[in-house]
């Protein structure tokens, strides 16, 4: 399965680490563009200059680890596509050019299911997407999530119960399934 990761699912650290962990384990193939990665870095910069530096380092590592993930839109493709927010058309163009199956985004309003279906794509919210991966790859997803939980615990110096961590990451269904 080929999946475009929108910038809004790359910036929250816990969510990104779970999504990338699942990709590393071969559960799906991630796709993005230079512009999507730049949006992630700019979002991090708005929060804190140190976060931007960290994001740019992570981006460099992801480009090395997933050299075929970065897709450039085909010339003229964006001009034939339409979405409610024209600033998101580049994400759809990457999905079309990369022959993706879905776009994982938290941005429901700007990625109408009907428009995406016309291009052979699905819009997947991160909670549902990870829940599906857990259903299909239970052992691997539990291992990925435990690694992320342990890292969060080590960084914070405090216990990080999985369900509470997933709730803070806006993954309530996924968290419930993990703790059930």
């Amino acid at each position: 399965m080929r999946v475009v990761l929108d910038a809004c699912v790359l910036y929250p650290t816990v969510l990104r680490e779970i999504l990338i962990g699942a990709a590393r384990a071969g559960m799906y193939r991630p796709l993005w563009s230079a512009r999507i990665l730049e949006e992630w870095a700019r979002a991090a910069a708005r929060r804190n200059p140190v976060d931007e530096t960290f994001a740019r380092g992570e981006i460099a590592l992801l480009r090395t680890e997933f050299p075929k993930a970065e897709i450039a839109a085909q010339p003229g493709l964006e001009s034939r596509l339409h979405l409610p927010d024209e600033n998101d058309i580049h994400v759809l163009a990457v999905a079309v050019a990369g022959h993706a199956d879905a776009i994982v985004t938290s941005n429901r309003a700007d990625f109408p299911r009907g428009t995406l279906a016309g291009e052979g794509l699905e819009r997947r919210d991160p909670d549902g997407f990870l829940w599906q991966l857990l259903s299909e790859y239970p052992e691997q997803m539990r291992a990925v999530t435990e690694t992320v939980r342990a890292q969060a615990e080590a960084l914070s110096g405090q216990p990080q119960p999985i369900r509470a961590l997933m709730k803070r990451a806006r993954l309530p269904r996924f968290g419930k399934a993990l703790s059930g």
Side-chain angles (χ1 to χ4, degrees):
M1 176 173 27
R2 298 164 62 91
V3 176
V4 172
L5 301 177
D6 195 4
C8 65
V9 301
L10 289 172
Y11 182 51
T13 302
V14 169
L15 176 54
R16 178 184 66 253
E17 290 298 320
I18 295 170
L19 286 167
I20 297 303
R24 282 184 184 118
M27 293 177 231
Y28 74 98
R29 181 173 168 203
L31 302 173
W32 48 67
S33 66
R35 184 170 171 184
I36 289 171
L37 297 177
E38 184 58 27
E39 285 181 3
W40 163 21
R42 285 195 321 260
R46 283 191 295 273
R47 181 164 181 231
N48 181 324
V50 173
D51 286 358
E52 179 185 13
T53 302
F54 181 76
R56 292 198 184 279
E58 287 287 308
I59 288 166
L61 290 172
L62 287 177
R63 282 178 162 149
T64 300
E65 188 173 0
F66 298 98
K68 295 181 179 178
E70 195 163 315
I71 304 294
Q74 298 167 351
L77 180 58
E78 287 186 33
S79 64
R80 79 161 182 82
L81 300 172
H82 301 283
L83 287 173
D85 182 347
E86 65 183 36
N87 291 320
D88 287 319
I89 291 173
H90 71 98
V91 178
L92 178 54
V94 167
V96 171
H99 306 286
D101 299 295
I103 297 172
V104 175
T105 183
S106 300
N107 187 353
R108 291 180 183 182
D110 291 333
F111 291 94
R113 289 191 190 276
T115 302
L116 296 184
E119 297 294 339
L121 295 161
E122 285 185 273
R123 180 193 72 225
R124 300 299 309 271
D125 70 276
D127 195 27
F129 180 66
L130 291 174
W131 183 87
Q132 176 190 344
L133 292 180
L134 178 63
S135 298
E136 294 173 5
Y137 307 97
E139 292 175 23
Q140 297 95 318
M141 279 306 295
R142 287 184 186 284
V144 164
T145 307
E146 174 53 27
T147 298
V148 173
R149 188 207 62 75
Q151 289 171 340
E153 197 167 274
L155 289 170
S156 70
Q158 298 179 20
Q160 297 291 330
I162 196 69
R163 193 153 180 192
L165 182 63
M166 294 304 107
K167 186 175 181 180
R168 284 193 309 275
R170 296 184 178 148
L171 301 168
R173 259 180 47 178
F174 181 62
K176 185 176 180 180
L178 283 168
S179 61

